[in-house]
Amino acid sequence: DQQVKQNSPSLSVQEGRISILNCDYTNSMFDYFLWYKKYPAEGPTFLISISSIKDKNEDGRFTVFLNKSAKHLSLHIVPSQPGDSAVYFCAASDRGSQGNLIFGKGTKLSVKP
Amino acid sequence: DTAVSQTPKYLVTQMGNDKSIKCEQNLGHDTMYWYKQDSKKFLKIMFSYNNKELIINETVPNRFSPKSPDKAHLNLHINSLELGDSAVYFCASVAGPVGTQYFGPGTRLLVL
């Protein structure tokens, strides 16, 4: 039973364009959401997060949007760069449960020059 | 300097063997985790330790036993390895119960 779903296993985008990665969740108790980026043969690295009290958080080229009513969040990367090519994991947490992170399956982003 | 390190990076072993994976973090974090990423790419939490005490133990077979000799180390010992244990195991740490988790590079375990 997946509580965090990333329905697109892969996404291909041209360099300079916008990349939009989507994530849906089912547990209404989740109050903290994170995006991690993972290169092959490396561990996931933190990218950006958002608390449920916000609907948008921006950090440079990366913006995360949260739509609580739809239980949906998205990561926007603009402009996309070839170095952004990686697997992106969405994760959610119910901070009342000691911060246990529930991860989606990941979306592999390929940014073509 | 590597913040969260794991050894070994690769581990190939026979069914039935006992093996250990080590994890160390030099971030001064209180909480450490073990995650398993299986062949379907799901990244699932196995254990959580806070200051050497077990906090979370998800549904994991008793053959898996975490050991935390001190706050900076969380090792994973696996007894009687099975084919289904083949996966990538990630260690992670975080400063407190809520915060950004920092992951190690992973240990790729293959059980033959």
Side-chain angles (χ1 to χ4, degrees):
Chain A
D1 181 27
Q2 295 180 56
Q3 297 186 67
V4 177
K5 299 178 186 177
Q6 292 177 257
N7 292 320
S8 298
S10 63
L11 175 67
S12 184
V13 170
Q14 205 66 32
E15 182 179 6
R17 299 287 185 102
I18 185 171
S19 296
I20 300 176
L21 298 110
N22 293 305
C23 179
D24 297 292
Y25 61 96
T26 57
N27 189 341
S28 57
M29 297 299 291
F30 288 146
D31 57 5
Y32 190 59
F33 304 89
L34 307 92
W35 284 95
Y36 279 82
K37 176 179 176 179
K38 184 183 180 304
Y39 292 117
E42 293 183 14
T45 54
F46 170 74
L47 195 56
I48 193 168
S49 64
I50 188 167
S51 163
S52 60
I53 62 173
K54 293 186 173 182
D55 54 20
K56 176 183 174 182
N57 188 23
E58 191 172 351
D59 183 2
R61 296 185 298 114
F62 303 90
T63 303
V64 56
F65 295 92
L66 175 63
N67 182 335
K68 286 192 294 294
S69 60
K71 294 193 178 72
H72 176 84
L73 66 154
S74 60
L75 174 68
H76 292 210
I77 307 172
V78 56
S80 302
Q81 299 173 355
D84 296 329
S85 298
V87 177
Y88 289 79
F89 288 97
C90 171
S93 170
D94 164 12
R95 283 182 279 190
S97 67
Q98 299 291 329
N100 186 8
L101 288 183
I102 308 296
F103 282 85
K105 278 180 79 170
T107 297
K108 183 175 182 180
L109 173 66
S110 299
V111 180
K112 304 199 180 303
Chain B
D1 278 345
T2 304
V4 183
S5 59
Q6 293 179 230
T7 53
K9 195 164 184 179
Y10 298 94
L11 184 54
V12 181
T13 188
Q14 299 285 335
M15 248 183 3
N17 284 351
D18 302 338
K19 290 292 178 185
S20 291
I21 307 172
K22 295 184 177 181
C23 177
E24 177 180 1
Q25 54 96 1
N26 61 7
L27 297 165
H29 288 169
D30 294 322
T31 305
M32 295 181 72
Y33 301 85
W34 276 109
Y35 286 86
K36 178 181 179 181
Q37 186 179 32
D38 59 23
S39 57
K40 295 181 181 176
K41 303 302 180 187
F42 280 109
L43 192 60
K44 291 184 181 176
I45 191 168
M46 300 174 69
F47 300 101
S48 165
Y49 264 75
N50 182 270
N51 271 319
K52 302 194 297 175
E53 289 189 24
L54 181 64
I55 304 299
I56 297 172
N57 180 356
E58 295 296 314
T59 307
V60 175
N62 290 338
R63 300 181 294 104
F64 290 80
S65 52
K67 286 185 172 53
S68 182
D70 55 59
K71 204 171 79 164
H73 295 84
L74 181 61
N75 304 324
L76 184 64
H77 188 76
I78 316 169
N79 289 326
S80 304
L81 278 155
E82 299 178 356
L83 295 177
D85 297 333
S86 296
V88 184
Y89 293 83
F90 289 100
C91 176
S93 73
V94 66
V98 176
T100 301
Q101 294 187 16
Y102 291 84
F103 283 79
T107 295
R108 284 135 194 91
L109 172 65
L110 178 61
V111 182
L112 301 174

